[in-house]
Amino acid sequence: MAAESPTSERKVVVHLRATGDAPILKQAKFKIAGSDKFLKVIEFLRRQLHRDTLFVYVNSAFSPSPDELVIDLYNNFGFDGKLVVNYACSMAWG
Amino acid sequence: MSNLEVWDGTISQKDFYVAARTLVERWKQVNPSLPQWTWIPSKSTLMGSSCKEEGYLSLENMFHIDRNEECLIVDSFSEREETDDVATLVHSTSNETHIYDFHIVYSFSYKVPVLYFHGYQSDGQPLSMDEIENDLPPSSSKILRESKWTYMTLGEHPYVRRPWYTLHPCATSDWMKLLLGGTSMKDLDISSYLLSWLSVVGQAIGLRIPLELQQRSVKHPSASCFIINN
């Protein structure tokens, strides 16, 4: 019986940052299991902001696929003990 | 252009060429076993001379295999008296292989990259928009249906000169500005423009972009190693 990998039990601190005219969350920092997918962060944002169309990205300049594991994102792009996730709402059109 | 100016999310044709080189190299490092992005130089410019820095990126022969998954759910609680070989209970799956080509073309009017793509069956028959939408994962369909920053349409491919499907670029500079615009103009790393761009566009069309492609700190070979496809 293999012991559970410590990496998968690890929690990651996520800091949600509003950009542009997106509303700022009252609770912008939270912990999430490293083994969770990024989809969970996206869905959390959608619920909190009551909006379905959000542009969500990490400051190293890309938008993570919802399938990415939070721990992988943190290990590669986190700093200062947290993963900063930016979100924007409106996008100019036309 | 002064360093105090706010970047507008667009790039020049020359920037596009530099960014294209970076994408080709990084993709080769990260995805060596997949089909590769290749730079296709345009045969002539508006002036009639050829310039290797004008052209587009091509990624061809990406296979999409559609397994009819409903057929794989076998009734394992059937009340048959004899033990049937499980294999015989499964309908033959319709393994339809679709093949996709993706081109990234620079738009002189929007000053951003534009994705052109098309799909076809293994016998060469082109796929309709419905068939392509059917191939998309649910998350991509959702993006194309609901997002305000792109939609799928038919457009004339400026080099191939035939209608290909395309993702409309009208909002591209806005979201690229969000992705890369945090830094001042002089710190802007244009070479990674397409890596960022692809992270967004890939999600819309179901093209899997590995996380490693986004690691900027990895130093890659200089331009002298770049090979242009003839």
Side-chain angles (χ1 to χ4, degrees):
Chain A
M1 224 167 27
E4 188 144 24
S5 152
T7 310
S8 61
E9 286 174 339
R10 185 180 176 174
K11 295 260 186 195
V12 170
V13 174
V14 173
H15 183 187
L16 298 172
R17 235 181 105 243
T19 60
D21 58 357
I24 300 170
L25 292 172
K26 284 202 181 83
Q27 178 62 25
K29 279 189 187 160
F30 62 97
K31 279 186 186 172
I32 182 175
S35 53
D36 277 337
K37 291 190 178 173
F38 189 67
L39 178 64
K40 248 199 168 171
V41 177
I42 298 172
E43 286 178 337
F44 176 80
L45 276 168
R46 282 181 186 151
R47 276 197 315 270
Q48 293 295 309
L49 301 173
H50 308 294
R51 275 175 220 240
D52 228 16
T53 50
L54 285 175
F55 192 73
V56 185
Y57 60 105
V58 168
N59 228 14
S60 313
F62 70 100
S63 181
S65 158
D67 290 334
E68 295 294 353
L69 294 182
V70 171
I71 190 66
D72 290 335
L73 289 172
Y74 172 74
N75 284 339
N76 289 294
F77 305 103
F79 63 94
D80 275 356
K82 61 186 185 291
L83 177 70
V84 176
V85 174
N86 306 292
Y87 60 94
C89 289
S90 64
M91 207 63 61
W93 189 236
Chain B
M1 201 183 298
S2 81
N3 290 337
L4 299 173
E5 259 181 57
V6 174
W7 182 53
D8 65 359
T10 65
I11 50 172
S12 66
Q13 154 68 42
K14 195 163 181 205
D15 291 335
F16 176 71
Y17 176 66
V18 170
R21 277 169 22 185
T22 307
L23 174 58
V24 168
E25 290 167 16
R26 294 289 290 131
W27 186 272
K28 191 156 87 175
Q29 284 175 347
V30 170
N31 285 326
S33 54
L34 283 185
Q36 295 296 305
W37 287 101
T38 325
W39 178 256
I40 312 290
S42 78
K43 301 230 174 13
S44 64
T45 64
L46 289 172
M47 299 305 184
S49 58
S50 80
C51 168
K52 74 166 170 63
E53 288 186 6
E54 270 197 42
Y56 61 96
L57 281 165
S58 164
L59 176 71
E60 299 194 345
N61 297 317
M62 286 296 268
F63 279 58
H64 173 94
I65 298 168
D66 175 38
R67 294 208 170 82
N68 188 351
E69 291 193 322
E70 288 167 300
C71 293
L72 294 176
I73 299 169
V74 178
D75 180 14
S76 52
F77 301 109
S78 77
E79 288 166 32
R80 291 171 206 273
E81 288 166 17
E82 64 270 20
T83 330
D84 284 326
D85 182 358
V86 171
T88 65
L89 297 174
V90 177
H91 299 283
S92 65
T93 57
S94 58
N95 283 1
E96 234 178 69
T97 302
H98 292 163
I99 304 155
Y100 283 86
D101 296 335
F102 300 99
H103 289 177
I104 306 177
V105 177
Y106 179 72
S107 163
F108 285 90
S109 44
Y110 287 97
K111 295 170 70 184
V112 293
V114 184
L115 182 80
Y116 286 86
F117 62 101
H118 71 173
Y120 44 100
Q121 293 173 22
S122 43
D123 62 0
Q125 175 82 359
L127 297 176
S128 66
M129 200 185 277
D130 283 340
E131 285 172 308
I132 292 180
E133 282 175 353
N134 238 24
D135 280 348
L136 291 175
S139 52
S140 299
S141 304
K142 184 181 164 72
I143 290 173
L144 291 177
R145 263 197 327 268
E146 298 173 2
S147 96
K148 291 178 279 187
W149 52 263
T150 193
Y151 58 92
M152 188 165 119
T153 182
L154 210 50
E156 175 167 295
H157 188 311
Y159 290 97
V160 168
R161 294 241 173 259
R162 276 197 309 275
W164 277 40
Y165 294 104
T166 181
L167 294 186
H168 203 281
C170 51
T172 297
S173 61
D174 290 321
W175 49 263
M176 280 308 301
K177 202 172 153 178
L178 282 177
L179 286 182
L180 288 187
T183 51
S184 65
M185 286 292 294
K186 67 174 166 63
D187 293 330
L188 195 58
D189 179 20
I190 282 298
S191 67
S192 61
Y193 189 100
L194 280 172
L195 304 178
S196 301
W197 179 88
L198 204 50
S199 77
V200 174
V201 165
Q203 287 183 52
I205 48 146
L207 185 64
R208 182 93 179 87
I209 307 299
L211 205 54
E212 292 82 357
L213 200 73
Q214 304 301 342
Q215 281 155 351
R216 306 282 190 264
S217 55
V218 176
K219 295 289 174 239
H220 51 269
S222 68
S224 58
C225 301
F226 182 67
I227 296 163
I228 299 172
N229 194 41
N230 289 331

